[in-house]
Amino acid sequence: MTMEAKDTAGACRTVRDAPCGGHELGTTGTVLGQGGEPRSRWPRDGELGAAVARAQDGDEGAFAVAYRIVQPGLLGYLRALVGEDAEDVAADAWLEIARDLGRFTGDGAGFRGWTATIARHRALDHLRRRRTRPRTTVLDQDVLDRAAPHSTHDQALESLSTARALELVRALPRDQAEAVLLRVVVGLDGPAAARVLGKRPGAVRTAAYRGLRRLGRTLAPEPGVTDAGPGTLGESK
Amino acid sequence: MAERNGGDGPPGHRHGTLDVEARLGAALRAYHPDPEAEHRAVAAFRTARTPGARPPRTRPRDDWRPASPRRSLRTALSLALASLALGGVATAAIGVSGSREAEQGVRRPHPSTTATPPVPVAPSSAVPPSTATPPPPAESGPPAAHPVTVHGTRARCQAFGKTAPRGHALDATAWQQLVAEAGGQEEVAAYCAARNADRPGETGAGPTRGDRKK
């Protein structure tokens, strides 16, 4: 069960035909997707919604399931926001999530939005206490090593290591970084991301688009030079 | 679904973006499970549960149902406000674009000085327009609806005269009246000059609300 998160990420490396831009990781649709964009964009949302409902009835095992489904995205989001203290902030967030679980009402996608909002508040509180600006420059290498499984794929040009991804995202303007993170890491659609950020959907959509475009230029600077296939991550020949 | 870019050709911008998303997402979500962290979270869940307690209240921030009533209410309110605003603009446009004369009045060189606001928005500061046409779009001033009178003409001419060098601050309707009375745009100046000369001592009499400075 605990390997699932890893496997999901690893699926793209090993299964050549699985479109990583597709449903495996749930990043379907376009950046500027409008009303046609399905609200539940991630493959495990049904499972998550059911787990949350059971957890609200007292099922401890169901809560653990929900935790495992949500935590990778939450942690990824927090890592970009607060850097090395991401685990601590996540722990704070889960305390609040556990405490207020009975208040929540919604489906799996809604749960991801709800938990992201809580995590973000904890992150901002944390940053305020530390009197640190969101974009701290130093990332503890241990944190990064723990974050990503070691892999020879990291050596390949096409692949993208966690450290590098963090570095790139944290270099974006704050609004773009958050919009991108909520979309790509937490898997929220436009309206949900806007709600988390307390901004207009149009503004968030624009920020995400700009951020992704900028990141895209960094990751694939030459037109026409793309990976061997869409969605493959450093698949070595 | 990610499009498959089989061959060469223009780098599908959209395709490229999806690829970036996928790679970023995978890299940032790469995750080493931490059993201890999970245990702590489950423990928190355990201790937070008070069996038999009243169900906790769902605050608005906790309502994440798809297309929840709260969200659609907000949307409905926004739409209502938007349509009110649009309706107001539409109503305002009625008086402005009502006639060619009015349009010509509108198209007059916008005296880009502070003293004379552009015609379509002038109404409040202009003469108390005696009008048979719909009241001008008055955002600040009271919409006047006086019958056509000499006093009205005089006031209009005074207003015209006061700002003539740079244009005029008459609202479209008042301007239209003057033009009609004078027999043409070019005649207005002469017309008003004649009227003012006829009654030299009455510059301040009558309903001279039109003298109100902007």
Side-chain angles (χ1 to χ4, degrees):
Chain A
M1 189 80 99
T2 57
M3 300 300 286
E4 276 169 18
K6 243 171 89 175
D7 281 345
T8 306
C12 293
R13 297 200 198 96
T14 55
V15 183
R16 203 185 175 88
D17 288 331
C20 283
H23 76 94
E24 277 298 328
L25 291 180
T27 51
T28 60
T30 66
V31 181
L32 301 179
Q34 300 265 354
E37 194 174 346
R39 186 170 183 273
S40 176
R41 301 167 71 233
W42 285 50
R44 298 185 72 184
D45 273 353
E47 185 185 350
L48 177 60
V52 169
R54 290 200 311 275
Q56 287 179 318
D57 283 339
D59 187 339
E60 214 172 275
F63 183 82
V65 169
Y67 174 91
R68 290 169 196 154
I69 294 176
V70 168
Q71 176 68 339
L74 214 63
L75 207 52
Y77 177 47
L78 288 173
R79 234 180 254 127
L81 280 187
V82 303
E84 57 193 14
D85 292 331
E87 272 90 359
D88 290 341
V89 176
D92 287 344
W94 280 106
L95 288 181
E96 186 173 333
I97 291 167
R99 187 191 72 211
D100 286 345
L101 191 68
R103 297 186 188 271
F104 168 79
T105 173
D107 58 4
F111 188 71
R112 288 189 285 108
W114 184 68
T115 52
T117 306
I118 292 175
R120 184 170 187 267
H121 287 156
R122 294 282 71 77
L124 295 179
D125 284 350
H126 177 82
L127 291 171
R128 238 174 280 131
R129 279 195 305 269
R130 279 176 51 187
R131 298 178 183 282
T132 307
R133 294 180 60 230
R135 280 187 280 147
T136 56
T137 51
V138 176
L139 290 178
D140 193 320
Q141 190 56 39
D142 285 346
V143 171
L144 300 176
D145 288 342
R146 275 207 311 276
H150 289 283
S151 162
T152 54
H153 292 293
D154 286 350
Q155 316 305 323
L157 281 175
E158 294 90 353
S159 74
L160 186 61
S161 71
T162 303
R164 177 93 173 111
L166 278 170
E167 185 186 334
L168 290 174
V169 170
R170 286 161 74 93
L172 292 174
R174 169 86 175 278
D175 63 327
Q176 291 181 20
E178 289 218 70
V180 168
L181 288 166
L182 287 174
R183 177 185 178 84
V184 162
V185 178
V186 183
L188 302 183
D189 62 11
R195 184 172 171 186
V196 172
L197 296 173
K199 292 182 177 168
R200 291 177 301 106
V204 174
R205 202 161 45 231
T206 301
Y209 172 72
R210 287 182 179 152
L212 284 168
R213 190 180 56 186
R214 195 155 144 178
L215 291 165
R217 282 199 223 105
T218 307
L219 289 173
E222 289 175 71
V225 175
T226 58
D227 294 339
T232 55
L233 287 176
E235 177 73 20
S236 43
K237 305 289 189 295
Chain B
M1 289 298 194
E3 302 165 40
R4 294 193 176 270
N5 190 10
D8 294 320
H13 146 84
R14 189 172 290 178
H15 151 75
T17 308
L18 281 176
D19 186 47
V20 166
E21 286 192 59
R23 293 165 69 190
L24 272 174
L28 290 168
R29 273 195 312 276
Y31 173 66
H32 255 143
D34 185 347
E36 192 185 325
E38 180 180 322
H39 292 153
R40 268 187 263 120
V42 174
F45 167 81
R46 211 179 295 129
T47 57
R49 285 198 59 79
T50 51
R54 48 165 172 60
R57 186 175 57 91
T58 293
R59 303 158 299 191
R61 74 174 89 160
D62 305 308
D63 185 352
W64 282 77
R65 288 170 294 174
S68 67
R70 170 179 163 270
R71 295 224 312 253
S72 19
L73 175 64
R74 271 180 114 172
T75 311
L77 280 174
S78 315
L79 283 172
L81 276 169
S83 36
L84 274 175
L86 283 173
V89 170
T91 309
I94 292 174
V96 171
S97 57
S99 68
R100 193 171 306 134
E101 283 81 7
E103 280 173 0
Q104 287 173 346
V106 169
R107 262 192 271 108
R108 270 210 154 217
H110 279 272
S112 51
T113 64
T114 53
T116 52
V119 170
V121 195
S124 51
S125 51
V127 299
S130 54
T131 68
T133 58
E139 289 195 13
S140 43
H146 302 226
V148 181
T149 60
V150 172
H151 295 294
T153 300
R154 180 168 61 246
R156 280 196 293 274
C157 275
Q158 281 163 351
F160 174 78
K162 284 184 162 47
T163 59
R166 298 187 228 139
H168 62 89
L170 293 162
D171 69 280
T173 314
W175 171 248
Q176 182 185 353
Q177 283 289 330
L178 268 182
V179 169
E181 290 170 21
Q185 279 193 77
E186 292 72 21
E187 312 300 326
V188 174
Y191 175 71
C192 285
R195 297 204 69 85
N196 289 338
D198 282 345
R199 294 161 174 73
E202 296 180 343
T203 49
T208 51
R209 268 173 246 123
D211 284 340
R212 190 172 18 176
K213 294 295 180 282
K214 302 96 201 112

